[in-house]
Amino acid sequence: MKRLPFSPWHFVLAPLALLFALPLLWLLVSSVMSNAEINRFPPALIPSGIKLDGYRFVLGNALFPRWFLNSFIVSAVAVSANLVLGSLGGYAFARMRFAGSKLLLGLMLATMVIPFQLTMIPTFLVMKELGLIDTLGALIIPSLVTPFSVFLFRQFFVSLPRELEEAAWLDGCGRLRILVSVVLPLAKPALSTVAVLTFLSTWNDLTWPLIAINHDTNYTLQLGLTTFQGQHHTQWAAVMAGNVITVLPVLLGFLLAQKAFIRSLASTGLKG
């Protein structure tokens, strides 16, 4: 049966989509305004002209490329580590039976409901004892693997038929070989979802870098943008332009993995 290109739901969903997109549209518009236009009341919805002073201010900052590189390093390592360690942990919980596996899974799931504010001070003390405060290591190590990554991989692996692995098992493959050669090639939706969510959380994180980093050369992008806000004066055009540049990698990553992201949430959400 041929699907119609439009349905009555589009008349409801289209205004909602526009409503949710308004903050992003306002960010794009205000990034090409002058500080005077941004501070005007009532605010100007359409700029009088394209002004790139904010972008010049941000890109002219000598430390901006360093902040971008720091954010990229932290996010890239966190994504890679979560894909490797999360898939290993998820496969162990999904397919291997060992003493205390259910208890460990329950404890791991329980940690997902603990807010970061409760673990912030213990994490800081551990990083301090390791001598990593004010280094990128303090941002990377706490993000190496998250309970959510392990849980999402576990849910996806449970949904796969065991017959695929049993055939490889009869051919003499070990657990690790089965995971790498048979299971992971089928787990692209889960891999994409973990990669996108991990990238979003580490790229956009401000609280932990604010606590763990002291020198501006080790700032991430989000932390560096706060330096454009002063006690008596704020370069709003620069803040808006910096946020546009910061959000571009996030949008690009989500658009590239959008289909796999939705497919993974649909396939793992209801299976236990």
Side-chain angles (χ1 to χ4, degrees):
M1 181 177 178
K2 187 178 180 181
R3 297 179 59 182
L4 295 175
F6 294 101
S7 73
W9 281 106
H10 284 87
F11 295 101
V12 178
L13 297 178
L16 283 177
L18 182 62
L19 182 65
F20 290 130
L22 277 180
L24 182 60
L25 294 176
W26 168 250
L27 176 66
L28 292 172
V29 170
S30 57
S31 70
V32 294
M33 289 182 178
S34 63
N35 283 319
E37 279 185 299
I38 296 174
N39 290 319
R40 197 171 70 189
F41 185 83
L45 298 179
I46 300 175
S48 58
I50 304 297
K51 300 178 180 63
L52 301 178
D53 297 342
Y55 289 95
R56 292 193 189 96
F57 186 89
V58 171
L59 297 177
N61 189 310
L63 288 174
F64 191 78
R66 181 64 180 268
W67 298 339
F68 197 97
L69 179 63
N70 290 341
S71 285
F72 179 79
I73 292 173
V74 172
S75 301
V77 174
V79 169
S80 304
N82 272 274
L83 292 178
V84 175
L85 301 177
S87 60
L88 289 172
Y91 185 74
F93 280 120
R95 289 293 190 254
M96 300 173 69
R97 293 291 174 264
F98 50 91
S101 60
K102 292 185 177 179
L103 176 63
L104 284 177
L105 179 62
L107 290 175
M108 186 196 69
L109 294 179
T111 61
M112 292 172 62
V113 300
I114 299 176
F116 173 69
Q117 287 78 5
L118 290 182
T119 61
M120 190 169 56
I121 295 177
T123 304
F124 178 83
L125 294 176
V126 170
M127 292 299 112
K128 185 180 178 183
E129 288 297 318
L130 293 175
L132 295 176
I133 290 299
D134 201 23
T135 68
L136 294 185
L139 306 181
I140 291 172
I141 289 181
S143 306
L144 286 180
V145 64
T146 62
F148 180 76
S149 300
V150 177
F151 174 68
L152 194 143
F153 274 118
R154 186 257 180 195
Q155 292 298 93
F156 190 87
F157 293 154
V158 164
S159 69
L160 295 177
R162 286 178 178 271
E163 289 76 10
L164 293 172
E165 299 165 57
E166 288 172 355
W169 186 267
L170 292 176
D171 288 339
C173 292
R175 289 285 187 186
L176 187 60
R177 179 71 180 276
I178 292 174
L179 174 64
V180 174
S181 303
V182 178
V183 178
L184 286 183
L186 300 173
K188 290 179 182 176
L191 291 167
S192 302
T193 303
V194 169
V196 169
L197 294 179
T198 305
F199 181 79
L200 285 175
S201 64
T202 51
W203 185 269
N204 292 326
D205 189 20
L206 173 63
T207 306
W208 178 238
L210 190 63
I211 297 168
I213 301 299
N214 298 322
H215 291 94
D216 54 6
T217 53
N218 293 327
Y219 281 5
T220 58
L221 264 180
Q222 301 295 340
L223 192 55
L225 291 179
T226 62
T227 62
F228 297 154
Q229 294 178 276
Q231 184 176 2
H232 303 291
H233 179 68
T234 298
Q235 294 283 350
W236 284 113
V239 171
M240 297 299 180
N243 277 295
V244 170
I245 297 173
T246 303
V247 83
L248 283 179
V250 177
L251 285 178
L252 182 63
F254 179 76
L255 290 175
L256 290 176
Q258 184 181 13
K259 289 184 179 178
F261 179 75
I262 295 173
R263 201 162 52 236
S264 176
L265 291 182
S267 64
T268 61
L270 299 178
K271 295 181 176 64

